[in-house]
Each structure stands twice: as C-alpha cells, then as structure tokens.
Amino acid sequence: MIRPRRASLTTGDPTRPHDDPIRPRGGAVPAPGAAAPGLRTGSLRVRTVVAVLLLLAVLLAALAVTVELTLGQRLRAQVVDRLSDRAAAAAALVGTVDGDELADRLSAQGLSVVIRDADGDAIVAGPSPDELRDGPPSLGDGPGRGGPASGPDGGRGGAGTDTRDGTGSGATGSDSSTGTDSGEAGGASSSDAVTVSSSEVRSDDEVTTLVSQLSDGSTITLTTDSRSVGETLTQLRWVMTGASAAFLLIAAVGLALVVRATLRPLDRMTSVARSIAHGDRGRRLRPARRDTEIGRVAVAFDEMLDGVEGAERTALDAETRVRAFVSDAAHELRTPVAGMRAAADTLVRSPGTADERERLATHVVREAERAYRLIDDMLLMARVDQGLSLDVARVDLGASLLADVERQRLRRPSLDLRVVLPDGPVVVAADAGRVSQIVGNLVDNAARATGGTGQVTLWLDASRADEVAVLVSDDGPGVPAADRERVFDRLVRLDGARRSGDGGAGLGLPIARGLARAHGGDLVCEAPGVARPGAVFRLTLPVAVRAGSEAAVVVSAPSPVAAQTSALRRTTA
C-alpha cells in the first residue's frame, strides 16, 4: 500500500519569494501532489450538446442578421426605385400637364409633393413629411392634404401607375385615356422633353425623400412613408427568432440522442475497466478501427492493461523468486551453521585429543568461511540489484586476462588454462577489478564442471567495432540447452554441481551477469562448438579504443601438470 508523504517542516526562509503560496500554520509544507487540481469530470454529453447548440445559435444569429440587412437594403432600394419612376414620369409630363394637376396626380398616391419651378415658385400637394411620420392620411382629406383625389379623367392619379395599368393619365402621354393629353404629348418635340438630370435621396426609419433636379431647372421633391420596411423587418425578425428557437429545441433533442449513441463506446470502456478491477484481468476492448479517436483511446487502454498485467505478473514472479531465494539462502546457510554448531558443541563437551580438537577447529573455520562467502555473495548480489557504482577506466583487456589467468593458476595448479589474444592491445571502458571478478567466477564455474583438472580456454574476440567479447569454455559435460538461461538464476545449481559438494552456492553466475550488465555489456551461455565441446560463456563489454590487427597470439598459461604440453604459437584469428 502506498502511503502519502508526510509534510516537511520549515522555519521561515527569508529568501522565499513573496509570490510563494502561503504555507499552512506551523510551517507544514503540503505534499507535491496535494494541491494539484483533480481531473474535471463534468458530463461529456452535456458539454457536447451545449457546445453544439451554442455554435448553432451563433450561426443562426449571424444568418438572421445577414438576412435582415440584405432584405432591408433591398426593400429600401425598391422604395427609392418607385420614387425615381414617379419622378421620371412626372418630368415627362412637365410642360404638357398643368403643375397643380401634376402635383395632385402625384399626391393622390400618398406622396408628399413639392414642385418648385426655375423661378422659385413652389406647388405643394399631399400630406407633409411630418404628417407622413404621424401615420397614413385619413379618407376625408382632400387632394391638397394627400387624400385620394381624382384626376380629370375620374380615376386615381399617379404618374407611376398610369403607364402600367392604363387607368389614369400616362406618364409619356402615349397611352393616356384622355385624348387631349395624348395629342399634346404626341405633338411635343422630343428635343423639348424634360428629364431628370440628378437625384438626391434622404431617408430615415419613417420616411424616404427623393429630390430630383429636372433639365428645365425645376425641382420635384417626393416624400413617401417607409415605415412598412421596418414593419416587414420586425415581422421577419420575430419569424426568424421563433423558427430558430424551434430549430434549437429539435437540435437539442437530436443531439442528445446522437451523442448518447456516439459515446456508447466510453460506457463499454467503463464496464470493462470495472470488470477488470473486480478480477477479470483478461478482458480487453480490441477496437475494430485503430485510426479513430475512440479507437486510439481503446488501443492505449488495452496497452495500459497489458502493461499493468505484465507488471503484476512481474511483481508476482519477483515475489516468488525472492521467497525462493530466501528459502534457498536459509537452506545454504543452515548447512555450514549446523556444521559449525556441531563442531563447536563437540569441542566444548568432549575432551578429545589434541588432533581431534584441531580437526574440529579446522572444520569450524572452514564452515565459517563457507558461510562468510555465501553472505558476501548475497550482499554483492543485493548491491548489484540496487545499482553498483563502478570505477570505470581504460583497461587493456588482454593484459587483464593474462593477470587473471596467472592468479587462477596459482589457486588451481591442476587446471589447464589457455588464453587466445589478438595481436595488439584491446582497450575497453570498464572497472578492472569487477572484470577480474567476472572472469574469476567463470573460471571457478569451469573448474567445478571439470573436477578441477580439465582444460579451460579464454578467447578474446575483438572482431566487432562496437564491443569486445571474452569466451570462456571448458571440456566438461556442458550445459543442457534447457538450462542455459536458468543457470543465471540465483541459488540455482545443476544436479552434477549439487552432487559434487564443493561448496558452490549458485550465486557466481548471477553476480557475473549483473556485473557485466552494469558495464553495459552482457553474459550469456552459448551452444558448444567444434573447438569448444563443453560449456561456453560469452562476456561482452563496450569498446573504448580499438587497436591491433586481425592476427592473434595463442598464449598457453601452463600448469605444472601440463607444462610439457603447452607452447607459444601464432595463428590467424
């Protein structure tokens, strides 16, 4: 169980910046992860629906504004176009129709009319602009006030409508229902026709005014009520608001259903996670597609579960190995301790002869040394597991191997040791003492396999540019293929080694591999070859400086037993 870190105490640091968070009373500093905000767990469905609805609302508002601006501009342009048509028709009747009659015809259409001739005299007809702002004219008003006055032909006046429906006087006089007007229009010369030379438009929310300057110097000012444009836009605004509200309501319901269906894989992930938490470790999501967002999340989820399950298995295996290691270590320690206890008890209780007491004392020392070696190996193994610090330097591996072989020959004079070195120095980055310890463990292992009288050969292979290999082989029975990896487990000895009773505890090879990997290399057990019939162990170390040629010198380190059979000879690597 992981316990939370205890808060540390502090005594007021004068160098603490003023913007540091205020510490709790008493100087307690919160744990590093205590103040971190937790994961926000708001409803993803609600967030998605609200976000989409807000986006739709913004888009609908933008659409409504665009439609209102476009339609309002178009409606106002139509009002100005109608006034321009009436001004053009009125200009065509100037000179053929009396000014008062022309003004009455225009005002009969609900327009405020002001006709000003070149001398400055003005004819005013129809409602005034202020009256148009107040509202439409009543039916009882006369023509001079903008009421529905009748023209000379008994119909409703209006220059703009006369040319289209033929019910009143024509704008050009060609289709007038009155013969006099037609004759006058037909007799006029086209060169004397009056036209609109320029126009000016002034408008607001209630009225629109068109001031037309005619070619004969007179001016026609027409003002019409334009409040219908605003009323139309207001109605459109209400229609758009209601339709948008209904659309958003329908969209909210549809989004809720769609998002629920879309997020259903997350519900499945939740159920799988809960089932795994309750013990079903083998369940996985296994997404059909891995390139989608949910597919990538599902793949990451499965990979996380595989990692957790693998870590759990590793932890259980490690716990099993630790228990087995403790049991085996206790068993290995019990033998020398029991021997020491029995010998010491005999020394205390039995008078015995001097030779017997010396033999018992020697046995106690031997068993104590055996227990000491075992404890020392276990301590070294623990240091390797925790991370052993190495004194790495440039080491000539060839010279180091020769020195190791000489020391081993002094310890084991009956063992035939041979060394094969390349021509020239081979420099590696390593701890010379630890490398010698690895080689010593390998030679000890080979000596036990051969009964202490076999042949052990050390090859230094510098054929690769990135690493150097040291091969240690013997002529013993070898290691079965099924046990070539198991021999590196702690306190593991093969049956032959257990029967030999030479005191090996099964920690030499695990220590040697741990030291090799601490250097960045490795130690493995290889299959035997033609020249290496027994067990073959390959130690690899990183290269610091590569030197020498492909030629190799075979150096035999003879023992007194095999002094006559060894010689210095030169071969090709």
Side-chain angles (χ1 to χ4, degrees):
M1 182 179 66
I2 301 175
R3 301 180 181 272
R5 296 182 179 177
R6 297 182 59 187
S8 59
L9 300 179
T10 183
T11 57
D13 186 1
T15 62
R16 183 176 64 86
H18 294 288
D19 57 350
D20 278 1
I22 300 176
R23 300 181 184 273
R25 189 173 182 180
V29 180
L39 179 65
R40 294 185 178 182
T41 56
S43 175
L44 188 58
R45 293 189 181 95
V46 174
R47 289 183 182 181
T48 304
V49 171
V50 170
V52 174
L53 289 179
L54 287 177
L55 178 61
L56 290 178
V58 171
L59 294 178
L60 288 175
L63 177 63
V65 171
T66 303
V67 170
E68 182 176 349
L69 292 177
T70 304
L71 183 59
Q73 183 179 4
R74 182 58 183 167
L75 291 176
R76 293 185 179 91
Q78 289 180 355
V79 172
V80 174
D81 291 342
R82 287 197 298 269
L83 292 179
S84 299
D85 291 342
R86 285 160 177 73
L93 293 177
V94 172
T96 60
V97 178
D98 183 70
D100 293 333
E101 183 181 356
L102 180 59
D104 291 340
R105 290 184 179 183
L106 294 175
S107 64
Q109 303 177 27
L111 303 177
S112 174
V113 183
V114 177
I115 301 177
R116 192 180 302 276
D117 57 15
D119 297 333
D121 296 334
I123 300 175
V124 179
S128 65
D130 293 336
E131 292 175 344
L132 291 177
R133 294 177 188 276
D134 294 338
S138 61
L139 296 177
D141 293 340
R145 301 296 299 170
S150 299
D153 53 358
R156 288 181 60 88
T161 59
D162 291 342
T163 59
R164 291 172 175 81
D165 53 22
T167 59
S169 300
T172 59
S174 60
D175 56 350
S176 172
S177 59
T178 306
T180 306
D181 292 341
S182 300
E184 291 175 351
S189 174
S190 61
S191 61
D192 296 336
V194 179
T195 59
V196 177
S197 58
S198 63
S199 298
E200 179 184 357
V201 178
R202 297 189 297 267
S203 63
D204 53 28
D205 294 338
E206 296 180 347
V207 297
T208 300
T209 302
L210 176 67
V211 180
S212 301
Q213 188 72 31
L214 304 184
S215 59
D216 63 348
S218 60
T219 302
I220 297 178
T221 302
L222 301 179
T223 303
T224 186
D225 182 7
S226 60
R227 282 177 298 181
S228 60
V229 175
E231 294 173 354
T232 302
L233 295 179
T234 301
Q235 294 176 359
L236 175 65
R237 191 177 301 116
W238 281 108
V239 171
M240 291 290 293
T241 302
S244 299
F247 175 77
L248 290 177
L249 180 60
I250 297 173
V253 176
L255 282 173
L257 298 177
V258 172
V259 170
R260 176 176 298 179
T262 303
L263 298 181
R264 192 168 296 152
L266 296 181
D267 296 334
R268 184 188 172 193
M269 293 176 64
T270 303
S271 63
V272 170
R274 287 177 177 172
S275 64
I276 291 173
H278 287 84
D280 190 3
R281 299 290 193 269
R283 291 198 61 183
R284 294 295 184 270
L285 293 175
R286 296 181 180 87
R289 294 187 57 183
R290 296 170 173 258
D291 56 343
T292 61
E293 294 81 1
I294 297 181
R296 288 193 293 268
V297 173
V299 170
F301 186 81
D302 288 347
E303 292 175 351
M304 179 191 67
L305 292 178
D306 292 339
V308 171
E309 189 175 5
E312 184 179 10
R313 286 196 301 267
T314 302
L316 293 176
D317 294 342
E319 184 178 0
T320 303
R321 288 195 301 269
V322 168
R323 290 178 179 177
F325 175 75
V326 172
S327 177
D328 292 341
H331 177 75
E332 294 291 339
L333 284 173
R334 184 175 60 181
T335 301
V337 170
M340 287 187 293
R341 180 179 178 180
D345 186 68
T346 303
L347 283 173
V348 172
R349 296 181 182 276
S350 176
T353 63
D355 293 340
E356 290 178 352
R357 296 181 66 84
E358 182 178 359
R359 182 176 58 80
L360 291 174
T362 303
H363 180 72
V364 170
V365 172
R366 185 168 58 249
E367 293 299 324
E369 183 180 358
R370 179 181 175 186
Y372 175 79
R373 287 200 309 269
L374 178 60
I375 294 174
D376 186 64
D377 288 344
M378 288 191 294
L379 290 176
L380 179 58
M381 196 74 251
R383 292 176 60 190
V384 171
D385 291 339
Q386 293 177 356
L388 188 66
S389 60
L390 301 175
D391 186 11
V392 179
R394 295 159 61 90
V395 179
D396 185 354
L397 194 56
S400 178
L401 289 179
L402 288 176
D404 293 337
V405 168
E406 289 297 328
R407 285 193 294 269
Q408 291 292 331
R409 188 163 59 84
L410 294 176
R411 292 180 59 240
R412 303 178 184 275
S414 300
L415 193 65
D416 184 11
L417 291 172
R418 297 173 179 270
V419 182
V420 180
L421 300 177
D423 187 12
V426 177
V427 181
V428 296
D431 187 334
R434 296 301 183 184
V435 172
S436 297
Q437 186 175 1
I438 297 172
V439 174
N441 287 350
L442 295 177
V443 173
D444 289 342
N445 184 75
R448 283 192 294 270
T450 59
T453 59
Q455 176 180 322
V456 179
T457 307
L458 284 76
W459 276 276
L460 180 56
D461 182 9
S463 59
R464 297 188 60 176
D466 57 343
E467 66 180 15
V468 173
V470 177
L471 286 84
V472 180
S473 66
D474 57 61
D475 56 356
V479 180
D483 296 328
R484 286 172 190 161
E485 186 63 26
R486 194 172 69 89
V487 294
F488 293 102
D489 292 339
R490 302 172 186 182
L491 297 175
V492 171
R493 292 182 295 175
L494 302 183
D495 293 339
R498 289 188 182 275
R499 290 192 298 266
S500 63
D502 60 351
L507 289 176
L509 292 178
I511 291 175
R513 170 175 276 190
L515 293 176
R517 291 181 175 179
H519 282 84
D522 202 357
L523 177 64
V524 296
C525 181
E526 294 185 343
V530 177
R532 301 185 289 270
V536 179
F537 291 89
R538 174 183 288 270
L539 168 66
T540 56
L541 295 172
V543 173
V545 176
R546 172 86 184 276
S549 64
E550 294 300 327
V553 178
V554 179
V555 180
S556 174
S559 64
V561 176
Q564 304 298 325
T565 60
S566 59
L568 180 66
R569 51 202 177 98
R570 190 177 186 87
T571 63
T572 302

